Structures are given as C-alpha cells and as structure tokens.
Amino acid sequence: MKSILNYIFIPIFFLIVFSGKTIASNPYCSNLGFELQNFTNWTAYTWAEGQPGYTVVSTPKVEGVVSGRHTIITSNGYDPVVGGTSLKLIPNGYNTSVKLGSTSLGNGGLRQSLTYTLDVTKDNAFVIYHFAVVLQDPYDASHAAIDEPRFTVSIIDQNGVKINDCANYDVNASNAEIEGWNTMQYNKKPLYWRDWTAVGINLTDYIGQTVTLEFMTANCRRKGHFGYAYFVAECQPLFITVDYCSDDNDATLTAPVGFNTYN
C-alpha cells in the first residue's frame, strides 16, 4: 500500500543535547552558520556602557565589524582562558563558529553584538543556535548584576519588540553559578564558563514576518573584568514526518536533525 506522509508540528523547545553533524549552506537562511566564513547577512555593532559614578565613558553603537571583537573561527582548537582541552572553539559537527568579545578591556565597558534578520517561512521556521560562554566574575558587592560581564540572546519581531520566548537568554557573571556551568579561578577571581549548548526557536507563529536574532556580549561596566561567547546557528523546517501504511503495526517518525532526544 502506498505510504502516507503526515506532518506533526512541534510546539515546545528547550535546552537539549546537540548531536554532532556538519552544516551546509542553507538557501533559506544564508550564512546563518557563518558557512561563508565571513559576516555576510550579519550586522555587527560595538559600543561602551559605563557604570554610573565611575570613569568609564559610555559611547553610542557603531555599526561595523571590529577585529578582535567579532572573530570568525575556522580552525578547531580550545579556549586558551579555560585552558587544556575543556572548551572547543567550534562545536562537534560544525566547521565554523564566531567568537563575540574577548579578554581585551580597552577603556572599559566594552560591548559588541551581531544581528541576523530572517524572513520567516515554513522552510526556516525552526532556528537552532549553539553557544558557549566565558564570564569573569568581579566578585565585588559594588558591582550590581547589571554591571557584570554578561551574554544575551534576544529574538526581536519586525516592530522591534522582544518576542516572549524561552529561547531568549540573559546571563551575568554572578548568576552563572546555576547548574550547567563550570568554575575555575582566573587572576584570583572566579571564572564561569558554559560548554556548548543547543537551543531551538519555534518561529511558526511568525511565518510571513521578519524576525531578528541578536547576540551580545559585554565586559563589566568598569574596566577590570571580561565576558565573551562563541556561537553558531542554523535553520530548518519545523515538522516531524510520519511514514506508515494503514495496516502497519509501526510508524517511522523523522524529526528535525540536531538533537539526541525528544519529548
């Protein structure tokens, strides 16, 4: 009997374990994974934000890639600050990633971001991003959480409003003590780092609209502590294909690739 193909849409996404694979160029989100080994289709910004009452001068956002703050990674190796073979520069199955930020402190309060605007269709409504983060904790009560090194991921609709989705991510150095983070000492201060983690974004409610993904890293709003991250992303259709015949006892379900387990 002829096979019947159905589609089951997946409603909920969360942090789950990534299963390694090699990403290729995708016509529905070109260079989302930096497969061109450049910043085509991405917009880069740099600026500074100082802590009120201290000497760091805040500056406006400036568009443009800045060497050392927006860095394409094409050769696999390991993060030198974490040391050893603990944190890969590129996640398993990928050929490229980006490092956003660095240990450089400049004049203090350095921030940098990368944004990607996506015209959402049924072919790219499932975005997966993978990230790893390194944050130095000032470990000082005079630094409020907002003053500390941080990493954020924001999903923004075409009106410039952040979409209320659990795939948004915001972590500062002192709250990186939560489960899933590793810790060590660096220059006599706590350093927190998170190994590669995958997050899925369901954009089916935004088909026919444009959505912007924004990744941002920041040093502390004074001069003494750094924060940076690595990330890469991809897109694919958001459905499970079910292949069965009416008199079969079993069905084969083919889900979007990229994860080891599903609920």
Side-chain angles (χ1 to χ4, degrees), residues 78-96:
Y78 296 90
D79 180 82
V81 172
V82 171
T85 57
S86 297
L87 177 57
K88 290 184 175 182
L89 302 181
I90 303 173
N92 291 337
Y94 285 77
N95 298 318
T96 313

Side-chain angles (χ1 to χ4, degrees), residues 36-196:
L36 300 179
Q37 299 186 0
N38 58 35
F39 291 102
T40 296
N41 296 331
W42 288 86
T43 304
Y45 296 95
T46 54
W47 69 103
E49 184 173 320
Q51 182 177 350
Y54 289 85
T55 58
V56 173
V57 177
S58 297
T59 62
K61 277 187 176 182
V62 176
E63 183 177 334
V65 172
V66 174
S67 178
R69 296 171 70 178
H70 308 96
T71 307
I72 301 285
I73 306 292
T74 58
S75 298
N76 216 333
Y78 296 90
D79 180 82
V81 172
V82 171
T85 57
S86 297
L87 177 57
K88 290 184 175 182
L89 302 181
I90 303 173
N92 291 337
Y94 285 77
N95 298 318
T96 313
S97 71
V98 157
K99 183 178 182 181
L100 187 59
S102 72
T103 58
S104 177
L105 300 175
N107 293 319
L110 299 184
R111 297 187 172 216
Q112 45 280 312
S113 68
L114 283 164
T115 65
Y116 187 102
T117 298
L118 184 70
D119 294 320
V120 183
T121 71
K122 64 180 179 60
D123 297 303
N124 63 17
F126 184 25
V127 173
I128 305 171
Y129 69 85
H130 311 258
F131 71 93
V133 191
V134 179
L135 300 174
Q136 188 182 27
D137 188 353
Y139 206 61
D140 180 344
S142 68
H143 288 72
I146 195 173
D147 301 318
E148 298 173 351
R150 68 190 314 107
F151 169 62
T152 68
V153 181
S154 302
I155 309 161
I156 303 166
D157 69 17
Q158 60 190 15
N159 298 313
V161 177
K162 184 184 289 189
I163 294 171
N164 184 20
D165 190 281
C166 62
N168 290 299
Y169 190 69
D170 186 354
V171 62
N172 60 284
S174 63
N175 70 19
E177 299 179 45
I178 59 176
E179 184 179 356
W181 288 74
N182 304 282
T183 185
M184 57 182 285
Q185 289 291 306
Y186 183 86
N187 289 344
K188 299 181 180 180
K189 294 287 186 178
L191 184 85
Y192 295 98
W193 62 277
R194 186 179 184 106
D195 207 349
W196 286 97

